[in-house]
Amino acid sequence: MLVKLPEAGADMMTAPFRTGLRSRAYKTESLNTRRPDEIIPVTTRDGAKLRVHAFGDADREVIILAHGWSCAIEYWNPQINAFADNYRVIAFDQRGHGESAPGTRPFSADQLADDFSDLLDAVLRPGQRATLVGHSMGGMTIQAWAQKYPEQVAQRVSSVLLATTAARQIPHRATVIPVFNDLVPAPEWLARTLFGTPLPLPGGRAVGVIAKSRLLNPSATADQVNFGLSIVRSCRPSARAAVARGLLRLDLHGAAANLTVPTTVIAGSHDRLLPELHSREIADTLADAGYLDRYVILPTGHLVNIEAEDAFNLELRRVIAMGRRGLVAVAG
């Protein structure tokens, strides 16, 4: 399904407000935004300019972070702050998100794949390989890229971490809307209406309570809830809605088999947006292909790298080490 992304000008009046949401200060230091060491100019093949930030020295091992739907570079603040002193960390705004332009191409698996290939061309030197980390739609981006460009995987990647992501059937498995898909199937028109309508997301305590109960885990802190909600609210409503309509029918089933390097999958046991079933399906695909490193379930909701920051970062360090050694562990 092809979904045209809206022009950036449609939401330009709220740009300073959106930037402020992404750059709020928190008592939890790891959630605060770090100044990039380099801003890398990246222009996609259709002319869309992407915001790409690099942290850490250019001669270090590379980690590339791909964020999910309605997020931005700042979503990865806990990982940027934890890894930038010892690694070269690259984070970017997906097309239409954050400060990246929507370009002329409609949303599709091909568009995700091509944008990611263009990004890798810009940030990696010839022969250089990176650890890829994808959350939610970022994990779908990595799968789409591997499906379209399988020959690039071994050339450009040492290891992969896919976090709370999916490959297909997103609206039919989500339980984020009470009752639906828990007790009765959710009709696609309902998901299209709720997620595909370009309305600004409000803030406030009541919205935070709802976000915690439906998107995070019961033990999430106030800072974690406020941080996640602020990042999502910073996305242009028109872009959020357009991409949501495209994600409803995205089908990447089997694409993970092309990730021919050690690949770890992390699921959240309380994830209602992309329930654990999605991650298990991807892990099974990888296991059948012989490239599953580990399958991990953490006690989180959808924002696993924020809710379980220490455990996530520990797993990422292990994934980097496995990629460096070129090993695939016995999945368990």
Side-chain angles (χ1 to χ4, degrees):
M1 181 180 183
L2 301 182
V3 179
K4 181 69 170 70
L5 292 181
E7 294 299 325
D11 297 304
M12 285 302 291
M13 292 298 292
T14 61
F17 177 71
R18 290 188 287 103
T19 300
L21 285 172
R22 293 196 303 268
S23 59
R24 285 180 170 177
Y26 298 89
K27 292 181 180 178
T28 306
E29 187 61 31
S30 63
L31 299 178
N32 293 326
T33 300
R34 176 174 180 150
R35 184 185 297 275
D37 294 298
E38 184 180 355
I39 297 175
I40 302 176
V42 176
T43 302
T44 65
R45 60 197 65 184
D46 69 318
K49 296 186 181 301
L50 305 183
R51 181 173 71 137
V52 182
H53 286 177
F55 306 84
D57 294 343
D59 59 352
R60 293 173 177 165
E61 291 179 276
V62 180
I63 305 169
I64 298 177
L65 307 172
H67 71 73
W69 172 61
S70 295
C71 293
I73 288 172
E74 289 79 6
Y75 174 79
W76 292 111
N77 282 353
Q79 285 64 54
I80 292 168
N81 288 320
F83 288 88
D85 288 339
N86 297 295
Y87 296 88
R88 172 76 158 178
V89 181
I90 307 291
F92 69 105
D93 287 343
Q94 298 258 18
R95 176 187 295 253
H97 290 67
E99 296 177 22
S100 287
T104 60
R105 294 186 66 179
F107 177 88
S108 68
D110 273 355
Q111 171 260 305
L112 292 175
D114 290 346
D115 282 2
F116 198 67
S117 180
D118 293 341
L119 172 81
L120 296 180
D121 283 343
V123 304
L124 294 179
R125 299 188 300 269
Q128 191 175 31
R129 300 163 73 209
T131 292
L132 307 183
V133 185
H135 168 254
S136 194
M137 189 181 78
M140 299 173 207
T141 298
I142 293 170
Q143 292 175 77
W145 168 75
Q147 182 179 60
K148 186 170 184 180
Y149 299 103
E151 74 285 353
Q152 293 185 13
V153 175
Q155 298 170 359
R156 291 180 155 179
V157 181
S158 56
S159 56
V160 176
L161 194 162
L162 302 176
T164 53
T165 189
R168 60 172 179 165
Q169 298 182 350
I170 293 172
H172 304 296
R173 294 172 171 176
T175 59
V176 70
I177 306 170
V179 178
F180 288 103
N181 290 337
D182 273 328
L183 299 177
V184 297
E188 186 173 312
W189 66 261
L190 179 61
R192 181 180 293 274
T193 300
L194 289 177
F195 300 110
T197 302
L199 296 175
L201 294 179
R205 177 172 295 182
V207 176
V209 170
I210 295 171
K212 180 175 180 177
S213 67
R214 308 313 297 180
L215 292 177
L216 292 93
N217 77 87
S219 300
T221 68
D223 267 5
Q224 290 169 346
V225 174
N226 292 333
F227 175 78
L229 187 57
S230 292
I231 293 294
V232 172
R233 290 181 64 215
S234 77
C235 185
R236 288 188 289 266
S238 52
R240 179 191 304 119
V243 172
R245 293 193 296 271
L247 288 171
L248 292 179
R249 296 187 177 179
L250 190 70
D251 190 343
L252 295 167
H253 184 52
N258 290 321
L259 291 170
T260 54
V261 295
T263 300
T264 288
V265 180
I266 297 181
S269 59
H270 299 280
D271 192 350
R272 296 177 179 271
L273 185 60
L274 297 178
E276 188 261 338
L277 171 63
H278 287 289
S279 293
R280 185 172 295 277
E281 182 177 76
I282 294 169
D284 287 345
T285 297
L286 286 160
D288 289 343
Y291 299 106
L292 178 65
D293 181 14
R294 288 223 303 183
Y295 181 56
V296 180
I297 303 175
L298 295 177
T300 72
H302 190 60
L303 310 185
V304 60
N305 60 303
I306 295 169
E307 300 170 64
E309 175 187 329
D310 291 342
F312 185 92
N313 290 350
L314 183 63
E315 190 63 27
L316 177 52
R317 292 184 191 281
R318 193 197 61 78
V319 167
I320 294 169
M322 293 300 291
R324 189 185 302 139
R325 296 160 59 191
L327 298 175
V328 177
V330 176

